[in-house]
Amino acid sequence: MADFTLRTTETDLTVTAAGVDIARYAFDPGGAASEGPKPYLHPVRALDGAELTAFRPWDHRWHKGLQMTWTAVSGQNFWGGPTFQRETGYVPLDNVGRMRHDGFTATTETDTSVSFTEQLTWITQAGDDWFAETRTHRFHGLDTDRGLWQLDFSSTLRNIADRELELGSPTTEGRPNAGYTGFAIRMPRAWTGGRVLSVDAEDADALMGAETPWLALSGEHDEVDGGGTVLVFAGSSTGAPPIKWFVRSEPFPIMSPSASFDEPIVLAPGEEVSLSHRHVFGDRVWTVDETRALAAELAP
């Protein structure tokens, strides 16, 4: 019996492992233009069935599970919500773009993994095509004894506009410690105040903007007894800036390995940037020593 199975509808894919629907990928989700419509993973679940992602929380309606996005792109906003400007702070603008799913180019199912690769187009609110993206999700590493599974994500963005494009963040626009962008996960509100851990630190504030190979956030669930852990590896970027972490457990739990935290990536027409990251989802709160041992063992 295969570790993972995949089923498809006209708007989403669902991955199942050990009898649990561990992830739903909504590739044609619709939604309000102000929320930057784009594909997302939600719910993402641990093997005990507990949800590890949040969807449209009241504080940020455009936060939708685990999704690839970008906050500041040459004046455009593919994240959703208001845009940070150096002179005015956050203001709602008619600049929120969307990502169109153009189709799957490959779907692979083996005894130990499933993966799918898709093509997308990033379109500004004015209707201009700015990026062609090739994106792959690979679900693997099922370990029922230790209660975990793994997701590898990769993306290549190619500038298809007729102008140079700058990929930045609110921090590159002047707001300190707000470099959120890239492959970002919003976790359940019950995890607010959860433990954030790295190779050698346990302080979320100190880890904001840090360069470290991985972060893990653990928290206790509502409704379901016990807790869980999400371990994220910084991975790689072909862009010039180093990957730095955007992470909070207060006032809400969120993590993203940002490829343009405080320094933009500039792409001329036809140029590309590629990213890759790994997430590990655990069905309990790992100890500090256990987390660090698993991070060393499961590093890509």
Side-chain angles (χ1 to χ4, degrees):
M1 183 182 219
D3 288 350
F4 299 89
T5 58
L6 184 67
R7 65 179 186 272
T8 307
T9 73
E10 293 182 354
T11 58
D12 58 55
L13 304 175
T14 299
V15 179
T16 300
V20 176
D21 288 347
I22 58 168
R24 170 180 171 263
Y25 184 61
F27 57 83
D28 186 18
S34 62
E35 296 176 12
K38 66 182 72 66
Y40 58 81
L41 288 157
H42 177 80
V44 174
R45 292 189 174 95
L47 294 181
D48 61 0
E51 290 192 9
L52 304 176
T53 50
F55 181 76
R56 294 193 76 241
W58 61 261
D59 49 80
H60 293 77
R61 294 298 186 195
W62 49 96
H63 288 184
K64 296 176 181 177
L66 175 57
Q67 59 182 345
M68 173 64 179
T69 183
W70 223 286
T71 45
V73 184
S74 294
Q76 301 298 301
N77 173 359
F78 289 93
W79 175 273
T83 297
F84 183 84
Q85 295 185 315
R86 196 177 299 267
E87 302 81 9
T88 60
Y90 282 103
V91 291
L93 300 173
D94 292 329
N95 70 336
V96 180
R98 62 188 176 94
M99 298 177 197
R100 184 185 67 214
H101 166 81
D102 294 326
F104 291 104
T105 58
T107 302
T108 303
E109 299 185 57
T110 72
D111 287 343
T112 58
S113 69
V114 300
S115 65
F116 45 86
T117 300
E118 64 179 318
Q119 299 297 131
L120 304 100
T121 303
W122 294 33
I123 305 169
T124 68
Q125 192 171 113
D128 298 321
D129 295 353
W130 271 17
F131 292 106
E133 181 188 2
T134 302
R135 177 185 301 183
T136 298
H137 295 80
R138 176 174 172 261
F139 300 78
H140 67 103
L142 177 65
D143 187 335
T144 55
D145 290 337
R146 294 191 291 184
L148 62 86
W149 61 274
Q150 302 176 54
L151 168 64
D152 286 357
F153 172 86
S154 63
S155 170
T156 296
L157 292 175
R158 178 168 52 89
N159 179 357
I160 57 173
D162 58 3
R163 52 168 292 189
E164 182 179 88
L165 296 176
E166 182 178 287
L167 293 151
S169 74
T171 295
T172 66
E173 298 302 307
R175 186 187 177 204
N177 289 330
Y180 50 88
T181 205
F183 199 41
I185 182 169
R186 174 72 187 259
M187 285 159 285
R189 194 173 298 280
W191 286 28
T192 301
R195 186 194 69 201
V196 177
L197 183 67
S198 76
V199 175
D200 54 8
E202 296 184 47
D203 183 339
D205 291 340
L207 289 166
M208 177 68 82
E211 294 180 48
T212 189
W214 58 266
L215 290 184
L217 203 155
S218 299
E220 296 285 340
H221 303 306
D222 287 333
E223 299 184 27
V224 177
D225 291 340
T229 301
V230 177
L231 166 65
V232 185
F233 292 92
S236 65
S237 167
T238 60
I243 291 177
K244 297 183 179 182
W245 287 95
F246 179 83
V247 58
R248 287 178 177 161
S249 65
E250 299 276 1
F252 51 78
I254 187 170
M255 283 194 294
S256 68
S258 174
S260 61
F261 186 93
D262 54 9
E263 181 182 350
I265 297 169
V266 179
L267 298 179
E271 289 187 336
E272 298 179 342
V273 62
S274 296
L275 310 173
S276 65
H277 310 293
R278 172 170 291 175
H279 287 56
V280 183
F281 301 97
D283 66 1
R284 58 190 173 80
V285 176
W286 300 334
T287 67
V288 171
D289 289 345
E290 182 181 21
T291 303
R292 289 174 173 155
L294 284 168
E297 174 190 342
L298 302 177

